[in-house]
Amino acid sequence: MQRYFVPDNQQTSDRIAIGGDDYHHIVRVMRMGKGSQLICVLSSGKTARCEIEQITSENVIARVVEWIEEQTELPIHIYIAHGLPKGDKWEFVIQKGTELGAFAFLPFLAARSVVKWDAKKMEKKIDRWKKIAKEAAEQAHRSQIPDVHAPLTIHELIEFAKTIDYRMVAYEEEAKQGNHQTLAAIFQQMKRGQSLLAVFGPEGGFADEEVELLKQHGFFSCSLGPRILRTETAPLYLLAVASYQFELQ
């Protein structure tokens, strides 16, 4: 059954109006009609099985058949901060990270980022990233769409980190030295509902001064196991480990 995210203000009593791109997808792509059923997820996270009652020139009007209780979100909030990699790699991280339960994505301008951010194209780029997250959240049957931030400086990232319960930076030198216990210790301390900001370097890795700066502001330097992971693989590894720790044990 197709799933669509709908703003709370589109619900009136037991009716939900769906417009925009989703309207086009329902009517033109899926060719649904009166009586077809779909899943609507409101901004609040409430989920309903609905039946289409009417299709106007701008909206699909669906009646709520039943409200559904779902537990599809990670019990902890993981923010993925990533030194901005090449476009296709970053979009891959957003898509697969959303499937794996990431709460939000924060690209930042690292010293060794290959990509040079063009502020003139910012709005269009961010809209594309948000669309990727939305479609991945629908596919994964999530009840929330991860937020995708505009690129930050490392100092803005450090300021943002003050709002987060736990902070870590994935650093390959820890792996080379065999220090593999820190991430497990963080997860053992964390309680459901708490947040973790996990920082990953771009293709060229971190500059030493970036890691030192993060450490000075309360970030734990962590290994992700004995193997060195590609920049787009590392965040997905972390999310999979978190899922095992908090959902499968």
Side-chain angles (χ1 to χ4, degrees):
M1 195 176 296
Q2 290 291 316
R3 172 174 296 239
Y4 300 94
F5 287 90
V6 184
D8 283 350
N9 61 12
Q10 295 299 105
Q11 179 200 1
T12 304
S13 184
D14 63 345
R15 300 294 188 279
I16 297 175
I18 307 170
D21 290 342
D22 289 336
Y23 169 87
H24 173 81
H25 189 265
I26 292 169
V27 177
R28 306 300 180 197
V29 179
M30 300 305 299
R31 297 188 178 278
M32 294 186 195
K34 186 175 180 180
S36 297
Q37 294 202 345
L38 44 79
I39 299 292
C40 290
V41 184
L42 300 177
S43 305
S44 60
K46 292 174 61 179
T47 303
R49 180 169 64 88
C50 301
E51 183 175 293
I52 295 175
E53 277 195 341
Q54 182 184 3
I55 298 176
T56 70
S57 60
E58 294 184 349
N59 291 299
V60 171
I61 309 300
R63 176 179 60 85
V64 175
V65 176
E66 64 172 338
W67 293 102
I68 303 170
E69 291 291 333
E70 293 186 320
Q71 297 293 333
T72 57
E73 296 299 312
L74 266 178
I76 60 172
H77 295 165
I78 298 183
Y79 294 75
I80 300 296
H82 206 301
L84 196 61
K86 292 180 180 179
D88 56 342
K89 293 180 181 179
W90 179 230
E91 292 177 2
F92 179 82
V93 169
I94 293 173
Q95 182 187 60
K96 301 308 176 187
T98 297
E99 291 178 29
L100 288 167
F103 187 77
F105 297 93
L106 298 90
F108 70 96
L109 305 173
R112 295 179 181 169
S113 287
V114 177
V115 175
K116 301 305 177 186
W117 181 249
D118 186 349
K120 295 180 181 178
K121 299 179 180 178
M122 179 172 67
E123 187 173 344
K124 187 175 180 180
K125 283 275 191 182
I126 296 170
D127 284 346
R128 175 172 170 78
W129 296 343
K130 288 179 178 289
K131 184 177 180 181
I132 290 170
K134 175 179 178 292
E135 291 175 352
E138 290 169 346
Q139 185 275 322
H141 286 203
R142 290 190 56 174
S143 56
Q144 293 180 340
I145 304 173
D147 193 14
V148 184
H149 293 242
L152 308 171
T153 66
I154 193 167
H155 296 286
E156 290 171 332
L157 181 63
I158 289 169
E159 187 65 25
F160 177 86
K162 295 177 181 179
T163 66
I164 305 297
D165 296 311
Y166 290 85
R167 288 149 277 181
M168 61 152 284
V169 52
Y171 190 39
E172 64 184 34
E173 292 302 318
E174 297 291 341
K176 291 177 182 177
Q177 295 170 21
N179 301 326
H180 304 312
Q181 297 79 34
T182 307
L183 179 59
I186 291 173
F187 281 151
Q188 287 167 6
Q189 292 177 36
M190 289 188 72
K191 296 180 175 60
R192 290 170 178 261
Q194 289 188 312
S195 56
L196 170 68
L197 175 60
V199 185
F200 302 87
E203 291 92 338
F206 288 106
D208 292 341
E209 56 269 24
E210 288 176 320
V211 176
E212 287 305 313
L213 182 63
L214 292 170
K215 286 181 178 179
Q216 290 169 15
H217 287 86
F219 286 75
F220 292 99
S221 181
C222 295
S223 158
L224 298 182
R227 291 162 295 281
I228 304 303
L229 305 177
R230 293 171 64 95
T231 187
E232 69 270 31
T233 308
L236 309 184
Y237 173 93
L238 176 80
L239 290 163
V241 170
S243 176
Y244 175 78
Q245 177 73 23
F246 290 94
E247 296 178 316
L248 302 182
Q249 292 200 84

